[in-house]
Amino acid sequence: MEENGVDVEKLKKFWDWALENYDTDELSEFGYWVNPEGNVLDVKWLAQHMRLTLEKTQGYIDWEYGLMHSLPILAKKSPEDALAILRIHLMEEVAKHEPQRAWFHVDEEVVGIFKLLYENPKIKEGVRLLINNLLPYRNGIFWELKSVLDSESNEEA
């Protein structure tokens, strides 16, 4: 970030300050900062701060696409935070609001994130619970996630 003249430490301090001093609307804008591919912010730090941000915004974030696109990287480096991000965002924002506010589609990429997390023994039960909690919401849009759980029963048979 040196060529842009941005001091990463100042950026981090600003995010910490914002988490302490703001509630929802202002914090949702941090969704545009989620870019673990840019190697600007440490991925574990970024995952933790996205989780903290979503906790304060009750799961709402601007640029949801960027958040979901970053989750495979966050899941590899910080699986507990990635699971918490999914739980907060999907249960609090997507599942409980009409599609006009929270557009979301379970596609191959989303199923892949859940599979990656489900393979981690430390959080496997949390992933299973999240999937089961999501299934009844939004007229079945989360039903494809059941394939993550079904794949394990097929392997055991």
Side-chain angles (χ1 to χ4, degrees):
M1 208 100 155
E2 192 71 31
E3 69 264 0
N4 291 338
V6 175
D7 184 335
V8 174
E9 290 308 311
K10 284 183 182 178
L11 185 70
K12 291 167 113 177
K13 286 179 185 176
F14 174 70
W15 198 334
D16 288 334
W17 178 86
L19 282 167
E20 290 179 23
N21 293 287
Y22 287 110
D23 287 320
T24 50
D25 292 338
E26 297 87 0
L27 292 175
S28 68
E29 298 289 328
F30 281 103
Y32 294 103
W33 292 15
V34 182
N35 182 8
E37 295 170 344
N39 295 323
V40 174
L41 298 168
D42 174 72
V43 174
K44 287 184 178 189
W45 186 94
L46 180 61
Q48 177 191 38
H49 279 69
M50 279 313 309
R51 178 184 49 80
L52 294 169
T53 300
L54 288 167
E55 286 171 357
K56 289 208 72 174
T57 65
Q58 289 95 34
Y60 181 71
I61 198 79
D62 285 346
W63 204 49
E64 177 187 61
Y65 172 80
L67 174 67
M68 296 307 296
H69 185 69
S70 71
L71 275 168
I73 296 168
L74 300 180
K76 288 176 184 168
K77 297 281 187 169
S78 187
E80 293 87 358
D81 284 319
L83 176 59
I85 288 167
L86 281 169
R87 181 183 44 75
I88 298 163
H89 180 62
L90 296 180
M91 287 301 298
E92 297 300 319
E93 178 61 23
V94 176
K96 298 179 181 177
H97 291 96
E98 292 300 314
Q100 295 87 347
R101 175 165 163 175
W103 183 90
F104 185 79
H105 179 71
V106 176
D107 57 13
E108 191 175 304
E109 184 178 16
V110 173
V111 172
I113 294 165
F114 274 85
K115 282 182 179 177
L116 177 65
L117 291 171
Y118 194 64
E119 292 170 358
N120 184 325
K122 290 181 182 177
I123 59 172
K124 185 174 194 162
E125 181 61 16
V127 175
R128 187 190 65 73
L129 287 171
L130 177 57
I131 290 171
N132 285 325
N133 288 335
L134 287 168
L135 291 178
Y137 285 99
R138 293 273 300 273
N139 214 13
I141 69 164
F142 296 105
W143 198 252
E144 185 63 33
L145 293 175
K146 191 166 180 326
S147 68
V148 174
L149 305 178
D150 292 343
S151 66
E152 182 179 56
S153 5
N154 290 339
E155 289 174 10
E156 291 174 358

